Amino acid sequence: MRVHKLTFAALAVAASLSLTACQNDDDATGQSDPSAASSEASSGGGSGSGDSQQGAGDESGGEGTGGQGTAAGSESGSDSGSGENDKAGKCRTDELKFKAMDATIDGDTEGTVAVELTNGGGRECAISGYAGVDLKTNSGTLSAKRSGEPVVPGTLKDGETVAFGIHYPINDSGGSGVRITGLVVTPPDETKSVTLDWPGAATLPVTDGTGSPVKVGPIGSAGQGG
């Protein structure tokens, strides 16, 4: 009987130890789960950080596209400038041929000289406005004043001609008057002049006024009254 009691006691102790071991294993398993969950959360956080960085990269790319758009706009603007340069440039003095002729009509109360400008520059050019006109006289230079007629923009193809008129008082006083010795013409918007022979009346009447008695019309006004 004593042997059986010891055997039963040994079995009880063994069972108790086995139960304790099982509980410890369960506790260990339970403690490992939060650790695994923590690792997964950390991994998820890393993925989120990567997504954020990718988003930032996309924004930077958007700025790069905007920069290319700006550059393209600049090129477009450059094309527009090229289009303006293709338009006819203004007529230069060296490109023009000049001719002055008497255009006075019988019965007119004033004399008229027409000055023709012919485009010989080999290209189309723009010309409008008033030419500068100075008469050389034995009393000095006399500058013509503008007639006040409206200006009409125009262009000249190579070989084409346009004219303007110079109007002056006729010397019918019987006196010698002011003798004209030459004509100086400066095209609109130019500083270089040409000197021509004066084809009109030889003299102008002497006037007591301070203003110029000579008037010039705009380009295209030849034959019009002042």
Side-chain angles (χ1 to χ4, degrees):
M1 292 296 292
R2 182 175 182 83
V3 173
H4 288 293
K5 288 182 180 180
L6 288 174
T7 300
F8 289 144
L11 290 173
V13 171
S16 176
L17 290 174
S18 176
L19 179 60
T20 301
C22 289
Q23 289 176 349
N24 288 340
D25 290 341
D26 292 339
D27 291 342
T29 302
Q31 290 175 358
S32 65
D33 291 341
S35 177
S38 175
S39 176
E40 291 175 359
S42 175
S43 175
S47 175
S49 175
D51 291 342
S52 299
Q53 291 176 356
Q54 184 177 358
D58 291 341
E59 291 176 359
S60 176
E63 290 176 0
T65 302
Q68 291 174 357
T70 302
S74 299
E75 290 176 2
S76 175
S78 177
D79 291 340
S80 174
S82 298
E84 292 179 0
N85 290 336
D86 289 339
K87 294 181 180 178
K90 67 179 181 180
C91 298
R92 301 289 185 178
T93 302
D94 291 337
E95 297 176 317
L96 298 171
K97 298 177 182 179
F98 299 78
K99 181 180 180 180
M101 64 193 73
D102 187 9
T104 303
I105 299 176
D106 290 341
D108 282 354
T109 58
E110 64 179 3
T112 300
V113 166
V115 178
E116 292 184 346
L117 295 83
T118 301
N119 179 13
R123 67 177 180 92
E124 184 179 35
C125 64
I127 187 167
S128 62
Y130 285 82
V133 171
D134 295 310
L135 299 185
K136 292 183 177 182
T137 76
N138 61 339
S139 298
T141 299
L142 180 63
S143 297
K145 64 180 180 180
R146 297 179 178 183
S147 65
E149 299 168 66
V151 172
V152 179
T155 59
L156 288 178
K157 294 181 180 180
D158 186 38
E160 285 189 336
T161 298
V162 70
F164 65 88
I166 302 172
H167 310 283
Y168 60 94
I170 295 175
N171 182 18
D172 55 5
S173 64
S176 59
V178 178
R179 185 167 54 88
I180 304 172
T181 59
L183 169 65
V184 180
V185 176
T186 308
D189 301 320
E190 283 287 275
T191 57
K192 187 174 182 179
S193 304
V194 295
T195 300
L196 306 172
D197 292 333
W198 174 254
T203 64
L204 297 174
V206 177
T207 60
D208 295 330
T210 57
S212 173
V214 181
K215 295 178 290 183
V216 57
I219 297 295
S221 68
Q224 298 179 13

